[in-house]
Amino acid sequence: MAKGKTARDHDGGGAVPASVWRTAFLLAFGSLMAGLDTSLVNVGLDTIGTRLDAPLSTAQWVNSGYLLALAAALPACGWLSKRIGAGRLWLWALAGFTAASGLCAVAPDIIWLVAGRVVQGAAGGLLVPAGMTILGQAAGKGRMGRVIAISSVPSILAPAFGPVLGAVLIANLSWHWLFLINLPIGLLGLLLALRHLPRGERDEAGRLDLVALGMVVIGLPLTVYALTEISGSSSGPRAWIPLVIGLVALGSFGWRSLRSEEPLMDLRLVANRRFAAASAEVFFAGASLFGGLVVMPLYFQLQLGADIVDVGLLLMAFSIGAAATFPAAGWLNDRFGGGVVAVAGLVLTVATTVAMALLPARPDLVLVEVLQVLRGIGMALAGSPGVSSALASVDQRQLPDASAQVHILSRVGGAVGSALFVVILSDGATDPAAFRETFWWLTGASLVALAAAVWLTHEQRAAAR
């Protein structure tokens, strides 16, 4: 009887073992670095562009290049996790992320910096899903919502304090320290993980499909680049040729993956309706989340005229609201299902984003901060339940592929959203109308995510019947 209870606890709920929390603590070093790095760069985007003599439309590739490289590396994550073990992959990825931070810190121009961010993104593309695979395998389906939500808190708290830290570093030192700060965190994480992190089991991975990987590496950046050009009113060959090449490459990747007996990534998971619905929610929620994280620092700096330190303080409201909500989001996910929780979160996100679009040119800062706290709560309720629902809809052996695909969609959605919204702003960043238009676009992304969350709720209830 005790043996049966243990099996049920592992798969269906119960208290989370201390060993799982210890693993989550170690993996938090990776999510802390990724969250801190993103928030530091967002608050310093205008400063970096000024110091390196690059326009805002070019400087935003410091962010978008990172997200695209992260997404391009993700398809190989499942194969590598099986080949060398998820724990070993995580260690190598953390080492690469830390080294790339050093390369970014010494960048003499914008091209070097974007290149360094691409390397950093490629390492991050392996770091995040490898850690999620380890947690998913350790926690079991019934505890996945709580473990993933609570282990995500460091990556949300980092953006809360990252802008303040970034503002202080820029004001008192230089933008180079936005990347140097990662070095001690990464080294400490490596030292602890080398001693305590499970290396994971090696499995039969088959042959790495380099042709399919090349299709993704080519297709993703070209497609997102083309979409940003088109959104910036460019309709010539500069936009359409990359779009055609990118879509053909991605379509060829999908065709090859579906026909292969040993695909680089198992796209057949999309036949699972719950996984498909959760993936759609994750994509558009990612566009809303990452787009907002890029737009708000610019809003405070360029629209409201706040100095760099004040911007950091003002940005804390969103992340504190999100961080305070994540543990509750995990419990609600395990109790009621991720779909209904995501619906509630996205309704709140839509309402607060519409309110931002309707604000006057010189709004009450208290009102803006209240809206940001509420938007943070909404995005927390929409974020981890979507990811947890996707991972809980598949078998254990499918977790590496599912984790990679979910993170690709989240990061590509974030890259597309960030690039599109910044391009909308770039021609009139000091004009209140430009920010109003951008907030309406953010509202649109949130509405599509809400529709996907409704679909997910329907599929989860149908599966429970």
Side-chain angles (χ1 to χ4, degrees):
M1 184 177 293
K3 185 176 180 180
K5 186 178 188 300
T6 301
R8 287 194 302 271
D9 282 351
H10 179 71
D11 293 330
V16 179
S19 61
V20 176
W21 289 127
R22 183 168 59 249
T23 298
F25 170 77
L26 293 172
L27 296 173
F29 279 90
S31 58
L32 176 65
M33 287 178 65
L36 188 63
D37 190 74
T38 300
S39 64
L40 290 174
V41 172
N42 285 342
V43 77
L45 201 59
D46 185 57
T47 300
I48 289 172
T50 301
R51 295 290 186 270
L52 297 181
D53 195 25
L56 187 59
S57 58
T58 300
Q60 66 88 17
W61 281 100
V62 173
N63 181 64
S64 294
Y66 169 85
L67 292 173
L68 285 172
L70 189 151
L74 278 167
C77 185
W79 184 88
L80 288 169
S81 292
K82 297 172 186 175
R83 183 79 172 187
I84 66 175
R88 293 180 185 85
L89 177 60
W90 188 90
L91 286 167
W92 280 107
L94 183 64
F97 194 96
T98 304
S101 297
L103 291 176
C104 292
V106 298
D109 54 44
I110 195 68
I111 301 300
W112 178 300
L113 181 56
V114 171
R117 287 285 283 171
V118 167
V119 175
Q120 198 178 46
L126 302 175
L127 183 68
V128 177
M132 201 65 67
T133 298
I134 296 167
L135 279 180
Q137 292 172 342
K141 293 184 179 182
R143 295 186 288 252
M144 197 174 294
R146 282 167 288 164
V147 173
I148 288 179
I150 294 177
S151 64
S152 299
V153 169
S155 64
I156 297 298
L157 282 177
F161 297 99
V164 178
L165 177 59
V168 171
L169 291 174
I170 290 173
N172 295 282
L173 296 170
S174 71
W175 67 264
H176 303 276
W177 284 89
L178 301 179
F179 302 100
L180 288 173
I181 193 68
N182 282 332
L183 300 185
I185 299 173
L187 291 173
L188 178 59
L190 281 170
L191 288 174
L192 292 175
L194 283 169
R195 288 175 57 88
H196 302 292
L197 187 71
R199 300 300 191 263
E201 296 294 329
R202 290 186 173 94
D203 197 359
E204 179 57 42
R207 179 181 58 87
L208 177 61
D209 191 342
L210 293 175
V211 174
L213 183 60
M215 290 173 178
V216 175
V217 171
I218 293 171
L220 281 175
L222 286 180
T223 300
V224 175
Y225 169 78
L227 290 173
T228 61
E229 288 295 310
I230 292 170
S231 70
S233 301
S234 174
S235 57
R238 180 178 176 181
W240 291 106
I241 290 176
L243 180 62
V244 171
I245 295 173
L247 291 177
V248 168
L250 291 177
S252 300
F253 168 76
W255 180 81
R256 184 181 180 90
S257 298
L258 291 172
R259 289 174 59 89
S260 174
E261 293 184 1
E262 295 181 345
L264 176 65
M265 194 165 57
D266 186 7
L267 298 183
R268 297 179 184 88
L269 291 177
V270 76
N272 180 330
R273 287 172 171 264
R274 283 179 293 158
F275 182 80
S279 297
E281 191 273 343
V282 166
F283 178 86
F284 288 102
S288 182
L289 171 62
F290 288 101
L293 290 176
V294 170
V295 168
M296 286 311 300
L298 298 174
Y299 177 78
F300 288 129
Q301 284 179 275
L302 303 178
Q303 179 63 35
L304 302 187
D307 64 36
I308 191 69
V309 175
D310 287 340
V311 168
L313 293 170
L314 290 168
L315 289 172
M316 291 180 68
F318 173 88
S319 294
I320 289 175
T325 307
F326 258 91
W331 181 85
L332 291 169
N333 176 88
D334 289 345
R335 179 68 177 83
F336 300 106
V340 67
V341 178
V343 166
L346 286 163
V347 167
L348 182 57
T349 301
V350 169
T352 53
T353 310
V354 167
M356 288 296 300
L358 296 176
L359 288 176
R362 291 294 172 185
D364 183 348
L365 271 180
V366 174
L367 176 59
V368 174
E369 290 294 270
V370 169
L371 289 174
Q372 288 308 296
V373 170
L374 293 175
R375 192 171 191 275
I377 293 171
M379 291 307 306
L381 293 173
S384 68
V387 174
S388 299
S389 296
L391 298 185
S393 69
V394 303
D395 297 331
Q396 285 267 328
R397 62 182 177 81
Q398 297 172 316
L399 274 174
D401 280 327
S403 179
Q405 289 180 45
V406 166
H407 281 89
I408 286 175
L409 291 168
S410 175
R411 301 303 174 168
V412 171
V416 172
S418 299
L420 290 179
F421 302 144
V422 171
V423 167
I424 292 168
L425 280 174
S426 62
D427 291 331
T430 58
D431 183 0
F435 278 100
R436 282 196 292 271
E437 181 181 358
T438 303
F439 286 126
W440 284 121
W441 277 88
L442 274 169
T443 301
S446 302
L447 282 170
V448 179
L450 175 57
V454 172
W455 176 26
L456 174 60
T457 301
H458 170 75
E459 296 298 338
Q460 288 179 330
R461 288 177 175 173
R465 287 198 291 267

